[in-house]
Amino acid sequence: MHMRLAYLLFVSLPLLPCLPPGQGELAIRSATAKSMERQGLVDITSVDSTLRVSLMYGRSDNFTGRILYADLREAYLHPKAAKALARAQSLLRERRPDLSLVVYDAARPMSVQQVMWNAVAGTDKSIYVSNPRNGGGMHNYGLAVDLTLCDAATGDTLDMGTHIDYMGRAAHITDEELLVRQGTISAEALRNRLLLRSVMREAGFMPLKTEWWHFNLVSRAVARKYYKAIR
């Protein structure tokens, strides 16, 4: 009976909306996790154990409709990006002790990027996904992170206007006040987006105009010149 209960708990973990802080430290490292570490990336919870992780590509409720991280539960980043993310978490907790950052995607192997590109190639959604043939995007260097805000105690995410992975104008950050006036997103969602951008910018990240949840540590040109893409 105890073994069956343990099994049920184990298989249900990837479906949880948000893993508790430090959960990745308790798990046995998978082949993908070990590969990330060999390439010099770090588990973000090893830098700040209060960071929450809920990898959206470890579930099927993403724009591809597929599980892309079959054996990965931890979020990895280049050490510089992980340190900056920990700084953002610290800034957030200073301003809002009741909130936490929750990471939905971080370092991403180029093989996964290819699957994503294949899902949008030839469609009007292709502007939202970097083409691996052109070197991919900042996720493929461990220098970008997709994240949102959540309740620090429960892990419940805040209203941001759209879900992460939404491909459309409502996710853009360029005309947010207009989106509020039109009723496309709420005033509360805009306040939450501004708070997220504030702490991320102060920590050294740059927002992406088309995705409120996406932040890069460096430019594409800098990444390609000084960093290696993740295999």
Side-chain angles (χ1 to χ4, degrees), residues 115-146:
V115 175
M116 293 180 178
W117 174 252
N118 293 344
V120 299
T123 75
D124 61 353
K125 304 300 182 184
S126 62
I127 63 170
Y128 296 101
V129 180
S130 296
N131 189 339
R133 291 185 61 183
N134 298 328
M138 296 304 94
H139 282 291
N140 306 125
Y141 295 84
L143 296 168
V145 60
D146 293 337

Side-chain angles (χ1 to χ4, degrees), residues 86-123:
R87 171 61 176 159
Q89 175 79 328
S90 178
L91 290 168
L92 177 63
R93 300 301 290 272
E94 288 174 6
R95 300 175 194 179
R96 291 287 304 272
D98 58 317
L99 299 181
S100 174
L101 298 175
V102 52
V103 173
Y104 275 59
D105 196 30
R108 181 189 304 161
M110 197 65 80
S111 58
V112 172
Q113 188 70 30
Q114 185 65 57
V115 175
M116 293 180 178
W117 174 252
N118 293 344
V120 299
T123 75

Side-chain angles (χ1 to χ4, degrees), residues 69-207:
Y69 297 149
D71 68 343
L72 185 65
R73 294 176 57 206
E74 303 87 4
Y76 283 85
L77 284 174
H78 186 282
K80 290 182 179 179
K83 182 178 180 180
L85 184 61
R87 171 61 176 159
Q89 175 79 328
S90 178
L91 290 168
L92 177 63
R93 300 301 290 272
E94 288 174 6
R95 300 175 194 179
R96 291 287 304 272
D98 58 317
L99 299 181
S100 174
L101 298 175
V102 52
V103 173
Y104 275 59
D105 196 30
R108 181 189 304 161
M110 197 65 80
S111 58
V112 172
Q113 188 70 30
Q114 185 65 57
V115 175
M116 293 180 178
W117 174 252
N118 293 344
V120 299
T123 75
D124 61 353
K125 304 300 182 184
S126 62
I127 63 170
Y128 296 101
V129 180
S130 296
N131 189 339
R133 291 185 61 183
N134 298 328
M138 296 304 94
H139 282 291
N140 306 125
Y141 295 84
L143 296 168
V145 60
D146 293 337
L147 76 174
T148 188
L149 302 174
C150 74
D151 184 289
T154 67
D156 295 335
T157 55
L158 275 57
D159 176 16
M160 306 298 273
T162 74
H163 59 75
I164 288 183
D165 235 13
Y166 178 80
M167 296 179 176
R169 179 170 166 268
H172 296 197
I173 69 173
T174 48
D175 297 307
E176 289 172 321
E177 291 185 0
L178 177 60
L179 293 175
V180 171
R181 291 197 298 270
Q182 293 175 336
T184 304
I185 68 173
S186 68
E188 180 184 4
L190 177 53
R191 287 193 295 270
N192 292 336
R193 288 186 183 189
L194 292 174
L195 174 59
L196 177 62
R197 286 207 295 273
S198 175
V199 298
M200 291 298 286
R201 277 176 163 151
E202 189 169 340
F205 286 94
M206 299 174 289

Side-chain angles (χ1 to χ4, degrees), residues 23-38:
Q23 181 67 51
E25 297 175 0
L26 302 178
I28 298 175
R29 292 295 194 252
S30 66
T32 300
K34 291 177 181 177
S35 175
M36 294 277 198
E37 292 171 358
R38 285 196 299 270

Side-chain angles (χ1 to χ4, degrees), residues 18-25 45 48-53 93 100 152:
C18 184
L19 292 179
Q23 181 67 51
E25 297 175 0
T45 62
D48 186 336
S49 63
T50 69
L51 288 164
R52 286 180 171 266
V53 177
R93 300 301 290 272
S100 174

